[in-house]
Structure formats: C-alpha cells, structure tokens
C-alpha cells in the first residue's frame, strides 16, 4: 500500500522511518524540503507537492503542527479530487470540532477518513512500541490496518465517529501532564526539605507500582458505584489538607496542591465524603453530558 506523509518534523520523520522499516512504499513532503532528506536517503520518494503525492498514494497521512496547516496544505479541491476513493489519516494536532470539519470534507470527496492520536514519543514509533488510537469507520480502519500497524504496534479503534480520537487525545494529555507535574511537585518538596532526590525518584519511578491504586479507581469508575472499598474521600482530604501549608512553609509553589484541595472539597460538598476518590469525576464532569461532537 502506497503511503504519503505530509509534515517531516520529529514525529513525521519517525512515522516515515517506521513505514520504511516495514518495506512500505513511502513518499514525503514538507514545507521546508531539506527536512525530507533523511527519509529520502532511507528510501522514501520526495513528492514535489502535496497534490503530486496525493495522486500517487493510497493513504495520505498528515503530521502537521495544527488545524490551519492541514487546511492550507490538504483541504483543497485539487487534493480532494486526487484522493477520491483513498484514505486520509489525520494525525496532526486538532480539536474535536476541527476533526468534524476534516471528516465532512473527506466525505464530500469520497475519501475514507481516520483521525488518530499518537500516545508516545518519536523514539517509541521508531522502536515499534507506540500506541496510536483512531476513530472513524471500522471498514476504513481495517482496510489500511497494515499501514497503521507499521506506524504503531498497537493501533486501536476507540470510536466510529470523527472527534472521538481527538477528544481521547486531550484525555490522555490531561492524565500525562497531571502525572508529570505530580512527580515534579513531589521532587520540589523533597529538594526543599533536604530529602535526596535519588531516593524519592527511585521509589516513585522504580519501586512503587502505580497500577495498583489506579486499578482501584478504574474498577470503581467501570462499575459506577462509588461506595467505599479502600479509602473515603474524607480520608484523602485529611492528607491533602497538609500539603498546602507544608509547601508554603518550605517555599514550594502551592498552586497544584490548592487545585487538588479545591476539587476534593467540592466532592465532599456534593456529599461524596464517604465514597471513593473516584467520585470526584462528578466534580470534574458534574452533568455527565457527552459533547465530543456537534452532531
């Protein structure tokens, strides 16, 4: 299956490398032509333009900076005509409502559409150990599964509607950045308190299995019953309440701890004090409404 990658930044270049490693036929294009050179040296073809590449490929993959770049480079009448009957895989950063716009354009031109979220770094793609989640028509997903599998060893279809994968992308990064800042916040407390960072990092990264507490919360969310199993929200509140004053005392920023404290208090005010910490989803999404598309 012939593929074209538009956008040869760090991630686009890694995608090209992964496809070439699996002996795929690959063409590449970038606004700055010199960025295509490593892929061309590895066996890719340098497309003279997006339209030229679109006419010669079966699957076109965008890995550009944002929505506007995709609009400018791909969402055109000429490219739409050349891609009719083919597949458009959108891996650029976008919002769910922008994915709806891409999907509508693809449908108008008879193009199969998938959107995806890359849950990893370029090195993970190159090593064949990257999860990429997609949404779109299952038939389109299965038709180009070999290409998707070459870019990420664990392609997953998380929904059949446009907008779902890009919403999943925001959920993933909400988790990632909260986790990363939690690690850094703890490190800041240790440094201010004179605790060796090596000891803290060894415990937090190497020894402590975060899947254990996460699995308790996940099981509660899946079941939908917040009744206490391991620890009440009030118990968590007592622990949280000690973090802000201690941070203030030792000169560590209190913003993150205050945000957590506020959310925990709101959960107790909603009547979840004797429930599991998973009940805080009712603070974060109080109505339980779903808004991943405008349809």
């Amino acid at each position: 299956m012939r593929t074209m990658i538009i956008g040869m930044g760090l991630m686009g270049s890694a995608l090209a490398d992964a496809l070439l490693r699996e002996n795929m036929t690959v063409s590449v294009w970038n606004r700055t032509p010199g960025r295509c050179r490593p892929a061309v040296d590895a066996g890719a073809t340098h497309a003279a333009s997006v339209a030229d590449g679109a006419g010669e490929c079966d699957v076109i993959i965008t890995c550009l900076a944002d929505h506007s770049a995709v609009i400018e480079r791909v969402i055109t009448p000429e490219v739409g005509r050349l891609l009719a009957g083919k597949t458009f895989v959108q891996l650029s950063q976008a919002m769910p409502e922008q994915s709806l716009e891409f999907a509508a354009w693809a449908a108008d031109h008879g193009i199969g559409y998938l959107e995806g979220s890359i849950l990893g770094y370029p090195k993970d793609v190159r090593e064949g150990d990257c999860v990429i989640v997609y949404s779109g028509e299952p038939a389109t997903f299965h038709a180009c599964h070999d290409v998707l599998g070459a870019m990420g060893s664990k392609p997953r279809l998380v929904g059949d509607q446009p907008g779902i994968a890009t919403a999943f992308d925001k959920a993933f990064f909400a988790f990632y950045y909260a986790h990363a800042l939690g690690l850094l916040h703890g490190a800041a407390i240790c440094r201010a308190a004179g605790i060796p960072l090596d000891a803290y990092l060894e415990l937090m990264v190497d020894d402590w299995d975060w899947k254990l507490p996460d699995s308790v919360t996940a099981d509660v969310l899946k079941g939908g019953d917040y009744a206490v199993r391991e620890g009440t929200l009030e118990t968590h509140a007592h622990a949280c309440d000690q973090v802000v004053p201690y941070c203030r005392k030792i000169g560590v920023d209190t913003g993150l701890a205050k945000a957590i404290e506020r959310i925990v208090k709101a959960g107790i005010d909603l009547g979840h004090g004797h429930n599991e910490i998973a009940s805080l989803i009712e603070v974060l999404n109080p109505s339980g409404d779903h808004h991943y598309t405008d349809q």
Side-chain angles (χ1 to χ4, degrees):
M1 188 170 278
R2 301 169 301 170
T3 63
M4 179 187 186
I5 298 180
I6 303 171
M8 293 301 290
L10 293 174
M11 185 59 78
S13 297
L15 294 172
D17 288 347
L19 291 168
L20 289 167
R21 184 186 63 231
E22 296 299 320
N23 297 315
M24 297 281 179
T25 300
V26 181
S27 63
V28 295
W29 183 90
N30 195 80
R31 182 180 59 181
T32 304
R35 290 192 173 181
C36 296
R37 176 51 54 190
V40 171
D41 289 344
T45 300
H46 186 186
S49 68
V50 172
D52 284 346
E56 298 296 327
C57 74
D58 302 301
V59 178
I60 195 167
I61 302 159
T62 54
C63 192
L64 296 166
D66 53 28
H67 162 262
S68 61
V70 178
I71 293 290
E72 179 181 358
R73 306 298 179 188
V74 180
I75 310 301
T76 69
E78 182 182 18
V79 173
R81 176 177 58 81
L82 292 166
L83 285 179
K86 301 178 181 181
T87 301
F88 172 26
V89 179
Q90 207 303 99
L91 297 179
S92 309
Q93 284 293 320
M95 296 293 286
E97 61 270 20
Q98 294 167 340
S99 292
L100 293 176
E101 182 181 353
F102 297 145
W105 173 83
D108 288 344
H109 291 83
I111 303 166
Y113 177 75
L114 292 173
E115 65 185 25
S117 173
I118 303 171
L119 309 183
Y121 290 106
K123 69 175 182 64
D124 301 321
V125 173
R126 286 192 170 92
E127 293 169 1
D129 192 28
C130 183
V131 174
I132 305 180
V133 298
Y134 297 91
S135 60
E137 289 291 336
T140 303
F141 176 81
H142 292 299
C144 58
H145 193 272
D146 287 350
V147 171
L148 306 182
M151 294 190 297
S153 62
K154 304 168 185 174
R156 299 185 186 182
L157 189 68
V158 294
D160 59 6
Q161 297 182 51
I164 293 179
T166 46
F168 193 102
D169 178 79
K170 313 316 170 207
F172 174 81
F173 283 110
F175 178 92
Y176 170 76
Y177 289 119
H179 172 81
L181 283 172
L183 181 68
L184 292 169
H185 193 209
I189 291 172
C190 288
R191 189 167 72 176
I195 300 169
L197 281 182
D198 285 352
Y200 164 76
L201 293 171
E202 182 179 348
L203 176 63
M204 293 294 103
V205 177
D206 298 330
D207 296 340
W208 184 259
D209 186 357
W210 290 102
K211 288 184 178 180
L212 296 175
D214 284 350
S215 65
V216 172
T217 301
D219 287 346
V220 173
L221 288 173
K222 290 175 184 176
D225 181 1
Y226 303 137
V228 67
R229 304 180 189 183
E230 303 293 340
T232 67
L233 191 56
E234 287 185 348
T235 300
H236 288 292
H238 290 310
C240 289
D241 288 346
Q242 299 176 45
V243 178
V244 171
Y246 185 65
C247 285
R248 188 180 294 119
K249 180 178 180 180
I250 63 176
V252 171
D253 186 271
T254 60
L256 182 60
K258 283 182 176 179
I260 295 170
E261 188 179 69
R262 176 187 64 79
I263 293 169
V264 170
K265 183 179 184 303
I268 292 174
D269 290 344
L270 283 176
H272 293 292
H274 294 289
N275 288 334
E276 280 285 343
I277 195 171
S279 62
L280 291 179
I281 194 173
E282 301 301 338
V283 176
L284 298 170
N285 176 220
S287 67
D289 290 341
H290 304 285
H291 300 288
Y292 53 79
T293 75
D294 292 333
Q295 294 177 332

